[in-house]
Amino acid sequence: VGEMRELAIRARRAARVLASTPRETKDAALRLMAERLRRSADDLLRANAVDMSNARELSSAMRDRLALTHERIERMAEGLEQIAALADPVGEVLRETTRPNGMRIRKVRVPIGVIAIVYESRPNVTADSAGLCLKSGNACILRGGHEAIESNLAIGHALSSALRDAGLPAEAIQVVATTDRAAVGELLTLEGLVDLVIPRGGKGLVRRVVEESTIPVIKHYEGICHVYVDRAADMDMAERIVVNAKVQRPATCNAMETLLVHEAIAQEFLPRIARVLREKGVELRGCEHARRLVPWILPATEQDYRTEWLDLKMSVRVVPDIEAAIDHIERYGSRHSDAIVTRDEAASRRFLEAVDSACVFHNVSTRLSDGFEFGMGAEIGISTDKLHARGPMGLEELTSYKYVITGDGQLRR
Amino acid sequence: VGEMRELAIRARRAARVLASTPRETKDAALRLMAERLRRSADDLLRANAVDMSNARELSSAMRDRLALTHERIERMAEGLEQIAALADPVGEVLRETTRPNGMRIRKVRVPIGVIAIVYESRPNVTADSAGLCLKSGNACILRGGHEAIESNLAIGHALSSALRDAGLPAEAIQVVATTDRAAVGELLTLEGLVDLVIPRGGKGLVRRVVEESTIPVIKHYEGICHVYVDRAADMDMAERIVVNAKVQRPATCNAMETLLVHEAIAQEFLPRIARVLREKGVELRGCEHARRLVPWILPATEQDYRTEWLDLKMSVRVVPDIEAAIDHIERYGSRHSDAIVTRDEAASRRFLEAVDSACVFHNVSTRLSDGFEFGMGAEIGISTDKLHARGPMGLEELTSYKYVITGDGQLRR
């Protein structure tokens, strides 16, 4: 330890260079990084094989997330090329005014500086995060899970060497080489050197970062997402949305975890949707009312309503009205993404206003809560915080701003 | 203790009401709050007299900050009326797009929720903060210094009763009644109930909040502001700017603390500015070079360059070139507000780009780093953070946003 400080000092120096690097240089570096990943495929696969052989006791799902293949390396490389093609957020003038005393104020988008990203197993996060930080002019410190350490170091090595060849400081992208947990603790208190920490991963990881950090954190917490099927719902649409939100990719943070159904249509809708979900292999846990209508639904506990299943499991509850649905979401949700299905404009307005979540949907699947679907062209994750960035975070959300004021001798009176 | 949680639960409930309160109601409440302060003047002065008599051992400067007068109460009331006259930031559509699949995405400005403000002696902060939070749709928890407790409670009482009379929940504005330090510690870990903490005050206060909080913090840290007088400066303008930045109100965070002078003009400019500053009663501490030119300047230590004097004292340093000035600011500054005085456009461009501060000025006094001077119409303070809000914070900076997505059955493919 002490090591993290040295690393952060190097990152800070690199960040000063990146802040005034023109777009062309950054894009050329991104393309070189992509090419370098492809050319280093054998090295990456060899490093990954070491991680995989050390990870024999992990679940097969975990091992699948950890594994690199030629196809996954190609996808990382393409991701970097896509980032190169996006507009540069840095330098954009967000607002411009001239004050009565003649001074001109411009609010200009600038990089944040040094960003630390703390994440779990998937090695592709290393390349994605590095690319997004570089494009937005930030230096990054990447700390992945210990089980992916060899893969991450090999990816980091390829990316840094590409940076150097592009004429940029290699230290703009640094993968933390130690798996010592104390290193993260040190990183999280390097105020003045590290400007932002983004934890991406499970609840335990995010909690630990929040508790230890004296640096600003943007949390990517769990997504306990709801679909509320209103009394005035189009039932065919409701069925399609519920199935999509639960089944299309259940392990993602924007998948539905709890279905709320207005009691006026529960008798018709609930047996119907339960049958379809059961055919798709979904296990349901529900309230008493739901279980009267569909006896095979398991009883739900309080804790079930607070659970991010990330699996073919879900909770279901019958509610007396829209206000009860809103209250349920306020109480049990994680303010991520929640949807109403209804043909009633007044109900939709009420829901969209009252539900305090990053993304609120009317007649749209919660699975569409995503940076790419939103047209951001990239996504570093989905923030469940309300400060700085909320919901899908793209390149703009990786920037800050400064005020540039010019005049001819203006004084305070 | 446990008490803070109860208070925050009440604040959260109030925040839900405020989030959908129309502008007219909020403005009527603000005007009623102003009227109630005026009508309660005798109560406020009586409460303040208790604080003043408990504060006999404080410095006269501290006592002056603590004291209420009829005039100061009138100014608080006028401040609230001015806030009522400002536009409502809530509900503004920040961006609107329709995606190829037909879903419409609107990014809408919403309140943050519950904001805790932790501050020191001046009681007017209580009314100002409450007014700004209310207008931006946030509930606030106000924790002032123990020496102002009676005054703050009296002000809080007047404001809450006005809220109630305006038909809004009185708990939207709550002054913490205990001076127990443990209460702040509890407040700072109420995640999910409190959305943001703003510490306003000295370094010790801000540090403590940053270290203890698991809630997002926007720091209003010290201002170690610089004026760099370039070789190509108009010396008359430089003199006016330096004097204004130091002398006009030295106790503010945007006052200049260190003067940097290019060596090519130091021989002419430094004796001249030193004479003027001495006449104004300013004490100078400088580098060796500065002391050769003006022998009565005291020797500066490393620590002097890191000091926010907030007084008629300052540091001065002769630098070989603009890069040395930029490096000095990077090393010793607090990223608040820094100025260059020059007629050289290239030097100005370089300084404005390379200096990583919230506000960078060309030929303008640092004292103009201020929400009112920037035309925001209000100011909760000046953020030295880079996340969410940087520089002067007005009403918009007290808001977040959410994505409102409407469609006709869009699914993820």
Side-chain angles (χ1 to χ4, degrees):
Chain A
V1 195
E3 211 178 309
M4 289 300 104
R5 172 170 291 273
E6 292 307 313
L7 190 144
I9 288 170
R10 290 195 297 269
R12 172 120 244 121
R13 216 176 295 135
R16 280 183 79 183
V17 176
L18 284 191
S20 46
T21 295
R23 171 176 182 172
E24 301 69 48
T25 312
K26 293 189 286 191
D27 291 349
L30 285 161
R31 286 188 295 262
L32 209 55
M33 284 156 64
E35 190 216 288
R36 197 62 49 92
L37 284 183
R38 289 189 185 105
R39 268 185 29 206
S40 316
D42 290 342
D43 295 342
L44 303 191
L45 293 174
R46 216 172 298 127
N48 188 248
V50 177
D51 286 334
M52 292 297 286
S53 82
N54 289 335
R56 283 205 200 90
E57 64 306 356
L58 291 186
S59 69
S60 67
M62 291 282 278
R63 285 176 57 85
D64 177 60
R65 298 178 71 201
L66 181 57
L68 283 181
T69 59
H70 274 287
E71 196 210 328
R72 285 181 178 184
I73 292 169
E74 176 56 29
R75 258 189 276 145
M76 278 197 268
E78 281 168 12
L80 293 171
E81 287 165 343
Q82 280 161 16
I83 294 170
L86 295 173
D88 188 347
V90 176
E92 189 191 344
V93 177
L94 300 169
R95 199 173 293 185
E96 185 160 5
T97 46
T98 301
R99 299 293 303 153
N101 67 0
M103 72 177 179
R104 189 169 71 123
I105 305 178
R106 280 175 305 147
K107 185 177 181 180
V108 182
R109 204 187 276 287
V110 298
I112 289 171
V114 176
I115 301 179
I117 301 177
V118 184
Y119 53 103
E120 284 163 350
S121 50
R122 281 204 313 232
N124 68 302
V125 174
T126 308
D128 293 355
S129 305
L132 290 167
C133 286
L134 177 66
K135 181 78 184 210
S136 50
N138 299 292
C140 63
I141 298 174
L142 304 169
R143 160 70 184 219
H146 65 93
E147 62 288 345
I149 182 75
E150 297 300 330
S151 312
N152 287 336
L153 284 171
I155 293 168
H157 180 76
L159 300 180
S160 287
S161 81
L163 276 184
R164 197 179 303 110
D165 292 351
L168 290 174
E171 295 79 13
I173 299 171
Q174 293 180 89
V175 173
V176 175
T178 171
T179 56
D180 183 0
R181 286 197 85 187
V184 178
E186 193 194 345
L187 194 58
L188 296 176
T189 55
L190 294 175
E191 279 167 83
L193 290 175
V194 179
D195 297 291
L196 169 64
V197 181
I198 304 179
R200 295 179 59 175
K203 224 169 162 170
L205 172 81
V206 177
R207 274 241 58 78
R208 184 176 168 222
V209 168
V210 166
E211 271 161 20
E212 293 189 15
S213 185
T214 57
I215 296 166
V217 177
I218 296 180
K219 293 188 285 293
H220 291 189
Y221 239 135
E222 58 187 357
I224 301 178
C225 304
H226 300 77
V227 175
Y228 164 60
V229 179
D230 187 45
R231 67 182 304 158
D234 171 330
M235 284 198 223
D236 292 337
M237 186 194 287
E239 179 184 319
R240 286 193 303 270
I241 286 176
V242 168
V243 170
N244 185 258
K246 182 69 245 178
V247 176
Q248 195 256 351
R249 211 173 148 206
T252 56
C253 62
N254 54 17
M256 177 188 69
E257 305 296 1
T258 301
L259 169 65
L260 301 170
V261 181
H262 192 291
E263 66 177 7
I265 60 155
Q267 195 158 8
E268 186 178 352
F269 183 69
L270 204 60
R272 168 178 169 177
I273 191 73
R275 197 178 324 117
V276 177
L277 289 167
R278 181 152 69 164
E279 277 163 22
K280 305 271 185 192
V282 180
E283 179 186 302
L284 273 70
R285 290 146 197 259
C287 64
E288 275 311 303
H289 193 143
R291 297 183 65 230
R292 277 202 301 280
L293 297 171
V294 184
W296 59 263
I297 293 179
L298 301 169
T301 64
E302 273 283 297
Q303 189 49 41
D304 287 339
Y305 294 127
R306 297 186 199 282
T307 298
E308 187 188 28
W309 298 106
L310 296 174
D311 201 351
L312 290 177
K313 295 178 180 176
M314 60 181 271
S315 313
V316 54
R317 188 173 202 172
V318 176
V319 291
D321 56 26
I322 186 173
E323 295 304 324
I326 292 166
D327 287 344
H328 179 101
I329 293 169
E330 165 83 10
R331 182 153 182 194
Y332 298 101
S334 65
R335 306 187 181 188
H336 190 296
S337 301
D338 299 290
I340 181 174
V341 184
T342 189
R343 279 181 295 211
D344 175 352
E345 280 301 320
S348 149
R349 260 201 313 281
R350 171 68 189 148
F351 185 91
L352 296 175
E353 182 175 325
V355 171
D356 183 23
S357 299
C359 301
V360 284
F361 293 90
H362 173 213
N363 290 350
V364 176
S365 166
T366 56
R367 284 281 295 125
L368 287 157
S369 179
D370 175 275
F372 294 92
E373 297 291 339
F374 277 25
M376 292 176 173
E379 186 189 276
I380 189 109
I382 296 183
S383 160
T384 52
D385 264 323
K386 276 178 147 175
L387 274 287
H388 188 79
R390 194 178 194 200
M393 278 185 77
L395 286 174
E396 288 182 2
E397 288 71 24
L398 289 173
T399 63
S400 177
Y401 57 84
K402 74 190 206 188
Y403 289 101
V404 177
I405 303 102
T406 51
D408 50 9
Q410 279 80 0
L411 308 177
R412 182 75 172 261
R413 316 209 162 267
Chain B
V1 192
E3 211 177 307
M4 289 300 104
R5 172 169 292 272
E6 291 309 311
L7 190 144
I9 289 170
R10 290 195 297 270
R12 172 122 246 120
R13 215 176 294 134
R16 279 184 79 182
V17 177
L18 285 191
S20 46
T21 296
R23 170 174 183 171
E24 302 69 49
T25 311
K26 293 189 286 191
D27 291 350
L30 284 161
R31 285 188 295 263
L32 208 56
M33 284 156 64
E35 190 217 288
R36 196 62 49 90
L37 283 184
R38 289 189 184 104
R39 269 182 32 205
S40 316
D42 290 342
D43 294 343
L44 303 191
L45 292 173
R46 217 173 297 126
N48 187 246
V50 177
D51 286 333
M52 293 297 286
S53 82
N54 289 335
R56 281 205 201 91
E57 62 308 352
L58 291 185
S59 68
S60 66
M62 291 281 278
R63 284 175 59 82
D64 177 60
R65 299 178 70 200
L66 181 57
L68 283 180
T69 61
H70 275 287
E71 196 210 328
R72 286 182 177 182
I73 293 169
E74 176 55 29
R75 258 189 277 146
M76 278 195 271
E78 282 168 11
L80 292 171
E81 288 165 343
Q82 280 160 17
I83 293 169
L86 295 173
D88 188 346
V90 176
E92 189 192 343
V93 177
L94 300 169
R95 198 172 293 185
E96 185 161 4
T97 44
T98 301
R99 300 293 303 152
N101 66 0
M103 71 177 179
R104 189 169 70 123
I105 305 177
R106 279 175 306 146
K107 185 177 179 180
V108 181
R109 207 187 274 289
V110 299
I112 289 172
V114 176
I115 300 179
I117 302 177
V118 184
Y119 53 102
E120 284 164 349
S121 46
R122 282 201 315 231
N124 67 301
V125 173
T126 307
D128 293 355
S129 306
L132 290 167
C133 286
L134 177 66
K135 181 79 186 208
S136 48
N138 298 293
C140 62
I141 298 173
L142 304 168
R143 159 71 184 219
H146 65 94
E147 63 287 344
I149 183 76
E150 297 300 331
S151 312
N152 287 336
L153 284 171
I155 293 168
H157 181 76
L159 300 180
S160 287
S161 80
L163 275 184
R164 198 180 302 111
D165 293 352
L168 289 174
E171 295 78 13
I173 298 171
Q174 294 181 89
V175 172
V176 174
T178 170
T179 57
D180 184 359
R181 288 195 82 186
V184 178
E186 192 193 345
L187 194 57
L188 297 177
T189 54
L190 293 175
E191 279 165 83
L193 291 173
V194 180
D195 296 290
L196 169 64
V197 182
I198 303 179
R200 295 180 58 175
K203 223 170 161 168
L205 172 80
V206 177
R207 274 240 59 77
R208 186 179 165 219
V209 169
V210 167
E211 271 161 19
E212 293 189 15
S213 184
T214 56
I215 297 165
V217 177
I218 295 180
K219 294 188 285 294
H220 291 189
Y221 239 136
E222 59 186 357
I224 301 177
C225 304
H226 299 77
V227 175
Y228 163 60
V229 178
D230 186 46
R231 66 181 304 159
D234 171 330
M235 285 197 221
D236 291 338
M237 185 194 287
E239 179 184 320
R240 290 192 301 271
I241 286 176
V242 168
V243 170
N244 185 261
K246 181 71 244 179
V247 175
Q248 195 256 352
R249 213 174 147 207
T252 54
C253 62
N254 55 16
M256 176 187 70
E257 304 297 358
T258 301
L259 170 64
L260 302 170
V261 181
H262 192 291
E263 67 176 5
I265 61 154
Q267 195 158 8
E268 188 178 351
F269 183 69
L270 203 60
R272 170 180 166 176
I273 191 73
R275 197 178 324 116
V276 178
L277 289 167
R278 180 150 74 165
E279 277 163 21
K280 306 273 184 191
V282 180
E283 181 188 298
L284 275 69
R285 289 147 198 255
C287 64
E288 274 312 301
H289 193 144
R291 297 183 66 230
R292 277 202 302 280
L293 297 171
V294 184
W296 59 263
I297 293 178
L298 300 169
T301 63
E302 273 282 301
Q303 189 48 42
D304 288 340
Y305 294 127
R306 299 188 197 279
T307 300
E308 186 186 30
W309 298 104
L310 295 173
D311 201 351
L312 291 176
K313 294 179 181 174
M314 60 181 270
S315 313
V316 54
R317 188 175 204 174
V318 177
V319 291
D321 54 28
I322 186 175
E323 295 304 323
I326 292 166
D327 287 344
H328 179 102
I329 293 168
E330 165 84 9
R331 180 153 182 193
Y332 298 101
S334 64
R335 306 186 182 190
H336 190 296
S337 301
D338 299 288
I340 182 173
V341 185
T342 189
R343 280 181 295 209
D344 175 351
E345 280 301 320
S348 149
R349 260 201 312 280
R350 170 70 189 148
F351 184 92
L352 297 175
E353 182 175 325
V355 172
D356 182 24
S357 299
C359 301
V360 284
F361 292 91
H362 174 213
N363 291 347
V364 175
S365 166
T366 56
R367 284 281 295 124
L368 288 156
S369 178
D370 176 274
F372 294 92
E373 297 290 339
F374 277 26
M376 292 176 174
E379 185 188 277
I380 189 110
I382 296 182
S383 160
T384 53
D385 264 321
K386 277 177 145 176
L387 275 287
H388 188 78
R390 193 179 195 198
M393 278 185 75
L395 286 174
E396 288 184 2
E397 287 73 22
L398 289 173
T399 62
S400 178
Y401 57 84
K402 75 189 205 189
Y403 289 101
V404 177
I405 302 99
T406 51
D408 50 10
Q410 280 79 1
L411 309 177
R412 180 77 171 260
R413 318 210 162 265

